[in-house]
Amino acid sequence: MPARALNFGAGPSALPESVLKQAGEGLLNFQDTGIGIAEISHRSKEFKTYLQGVESDIRKLLKVPNSHAILFTQGGGSAQFSAVVLNMLARHHERYPVLEPEQRVMDYVITGSWSDKATKEARRLGGGTVNVVADSRKFSAQGKFDNIPSHKNDAYKFSKNPVLIYYCANETVDGVEFAREEGNETSFPFHLLPEDSPLVGDYSSSFMSHPIPRLQNHAIIYAGVQKNLGPAGLTVLIVRKDCIVDVDKAAQNGAIPIPLCTAYRTLADHQSLYNTPPVLSIYISGLVLRQMMLEFGEDAMEKYAALSASKSAKVYDALKRGEQKGVFKSKVRDDSGSQMNVVFDVVGEGKLDQFIAGTEARNMKGLRGHRSVGGRSTLCFHPTWWANALAGVRTLVDYMIEFVEAESAVAQ
Ligand code: PMP
């Protein structure tokens, strides 16, 4: 087997080697049953107990209060673009039965291509009206997703009694993230929310890597696990219990009918086992959670957050150095940069390819940016597991600096 690559891919992304080895054993023999995890019934007592353990570890690590259920489903973040709308419209119908669709307002904060996609899905589904609370392109000199609007600028216009208020915590493609500290101008404007706001947060690309600010004030938080926690296939939902509603009753009263597997009520009533769940993804995610607990205990999120801050600071420092020498160009405003993925251009014809070739030669993989930003940018993802492999980030940073020095020497 070749040496394992330093995999910076944004998702699916690197998993801890110790977990992958354990998973190999679990494929042959899950919990001493003599049956592998991919073969055992999801209704066996061993699997059900395992699933409860996964839930309990997420609850402990993210400090999820009892007001919220933790549910497991499939379909990734993309399926939740639709599910959050349908479930929350049903809830709105329950609360306000006689309103017209134009009076059912869904507030969207658009800060990048993922929240933009979610907004388009809400418009496509109908049953309510979309209000764009803020669109970060309006605050960009180039009309691009390169910033998180400051809440000092009166940028956010929330509606009264909305169906939901939607935001994406970390925009994976564009490299912008709401600041995690509340005092910061680019943090999510929790203080501006109307009372009783049904807040929905897409945490797909920073899930289980830091404490979620004001988690208890959210109606729904969701994330596909494939960035930081496990293999693709599992989506984790944290849903405030009053948002788990009788969707069929709502449909009788005029709400859009909801496919059964998408209704939070179905998932909750069947302890997330209405149909066959993605057992392997649940298994490996569970192993990763155990590893987190072993490594840092119940305060692991705080520890990973500190590590993310220090890792990303090193990359941003190298990027700044490259900018000063005209070699790199950041794609995001200084106060909006993500701590998970750093997006930048390499200046000059063919220079991006040259930069990427250098990373590959050093066994670093997955550093080319998303195709939707023209492949002209480099995206470096910092999964939680680089926490104990700061060396991986150091390899990248050392190479960035080497590249900057070599390029600026050529230019002189
Ligand atoms: N939201 C964000 C922030 C993402 O990064 C992604 C995937 N990269 C999605 C949603 C869509 O997730 P999925 O591919 O699991 O449908």
Side-chain angles (χ1 to χ4, degrees):
M1 192 170 92
R4 278 179 50 84
L6 296 173
N7 178 7
F8 289 85
S13 39
L15 289 167
E17 213 167 302
S18 59
V19 162
L20 295 174
K21 287 189 175 138
Q22 254 178 295
E25 286 167 25
L27 273 171
L28 291 170
N29 176 21
F30 174 64
Q31 310 251 303
D32 272 337
T33 54
I35 305 176
I37 179 64
E39 307 159 310
I40 199 164
S41 165
H42 58 291
R43 307 212 181 273
S44 61
K45 74 173 180 334
E46 289 83 2
F47 184 77
K48 281 188 176 166
T49 309
Y50 190 86
L51 186 62
Q52 281 160 9
V54 174
E55 180 193 329
S56 149
D57 283 350
I58 294 176
R59 195 173 283 285
K60 279 188 208 137
L61 286 166
L62 284 180
K63 305 189 172 41
V64 179
N66 283 334
S67 49
H68 289 62
I70 298 176
L71 305 172
F72 301 108
T73 187
Q74 306 194 43
S78 305
Q80 289 309 308
F81 294 166
S82 332
V84 296
V85 170
L86 297 172
N87 282 276
M88 293 306 275
L89 273 172
R91 176 178 182 266
H92 205 253
H93 270 268
E94 199 175 66
R95 302 190 144 205
Y96 308 99
V98 293
L99 297 183
E100 295 300 319
E102 336 33 282
Q103 295 169 296
R104 300 187 190 281
V105 182
M106 298 180 270
D107 274 359
Y108 276 78
V109 178
I110 307 181
T111 49
S113 53
W114 289 111
S115 48
D116 192 37
K117 270 197 170 168
T119 309
K120 287 183 175 134
E121 177 63 359
R123 279 206 189 95
R124 195 184 71 81
L125 287 168
T129 309
V130 168
N131 167 46
V132 176
V133 171
D135 184 326
S136 67
R137 286 169 293 198
K138 296 210 178 112
F139 300 91
S140 157
Q142 285 83 34
K144 295 238 162 84
F145 290 129
D146 60 7
N147 71 94
I148 296 287
S150 159
H151 46 66
K152 295 254 158 70
N153 292 342
D154 204 18
Y156 295 86
K157 308 252 185 289
F158 295 106
S159 312
K160 243 181 128 200
N161 293 331
V163 175
L164 57 84
I165 299 171
Y166 186 101
Y167 75 103
C168 175
N170 184 63
E171 288 282 359
T172 328
V173 173
D174 305 283
V176 295
E177 182 178 20
F178 281 97
R180 298 172 184 182
E181 311 72 35
E182 278 200 33
N184 199 307
E185 275 186 44
T186 55
S187 61
F188 188 81
F190 293 107
H191 61 290
L192 300 178
L193 291 176
E195 218 173 293
D196 211 8
S197 294
L199 190 59
V200 176
D202 173 1
Y203 271 80
S204 291
S205 52
S206 59
F207 193 58
M208 300 309 297
S209 73
H210 69 105
I212 295 182
R214 297 223 202 178
L215 182 146
Q216 72 284 5
N217 293 357
H218 287 74
I220 302 165
I221 286 164
Y222 73 81
V225 298
Q226 68 271 23
K227 317 283 183 198
N228 290 311
L229 197 56
L234 174 65
T235 312
V236 180
L237 302 164
I238 301 173
V239 185
R240 208 174 58 214
K241 289 177 182 159
D242 63 279
C243 301
I244 301 174
V245 300
D246 186 339
V247 294
D248 289 336
K249 201 159 146 219
Q252 279 159 17
N253 293 330
I256 305 174
I258 306 186
L260 263 185
C261 292
T262 314
Y264 299 153
R265 189 57 173 270
T266 315
L267 300 173
D269 283 353
H270 296 84
Q271 290 76 49
S272 303
L273 289 172
Y274 172 73
N275 66 331
T276 320
V279 282
L280 187 63
S281 179
I282 291 171
Y283 175 56
I284 297 181
S285 300
L287 295 180
V288 171
L289 289 163
R290 285 279 90 196
Q291 178 89 12
M292 287 176 168
M293 285 278 200
L294 270 179
E295 195 169 18
F296 286 132
E298 289 190 17
D299 290 331
M301 292 303 109
E302 287 77 4
K303 301 271 174 30
Y304 287 128
L307 282 161
S308 273
S310 100
K311 283 182 297 186
S312 55
K314 286 184 175 58
V315 179
Y316 282 114
D317 280 352
L319 177 54
K320 265 266 145 347
R321 199 150 145 186
E323 287 204 294
Q324 281 156 4
K325 306 236 174 170
V327 176
F328 296 144
K329 174 109 192 57
S330 175
K331 299 278 273 188
V332 307
R333 208 172 64 195
D334 279 353
D335 61 359
S336 310
S338 163
Q339 290 191 25
M340 303 304 288
N341 41 289
V342 181
V343 178
F344 59 95
D345 265 343
V346 185
V347 179
E349 195 59 40
K351 290 293 174 191
L352 175 73
D353 289 341
Q354 189 185 325
F355 178 77
I356 297 287
T359 61
E360 303 256 340
R362 287 160 181 78
N363 204 23
M364 292 182 273
K365 300 273 166 69
L367 282 150
R368 196 179 281 276
H370 198 271
R371 62 189 184 284
S372 69
V373 281
R376 282 283 313 143
S377 67
T378 297
L379 183 141
C380 126
F381 201 76
H382 295 177
T384 309
W385 288 99
W386 290 79
N388 48 10
L390 260 177
V393 170
R394 226 168 278 133
T395 306
L396 172 65
V397 166
D398 285 351
Y399 171 61
M400 286 171 76
I401 292 170
E402 188 188 317
F403 187 86
V404 169
E405 297 309 326
E407 286 302 305
S408 36
V410 171
Q412 272 164 17

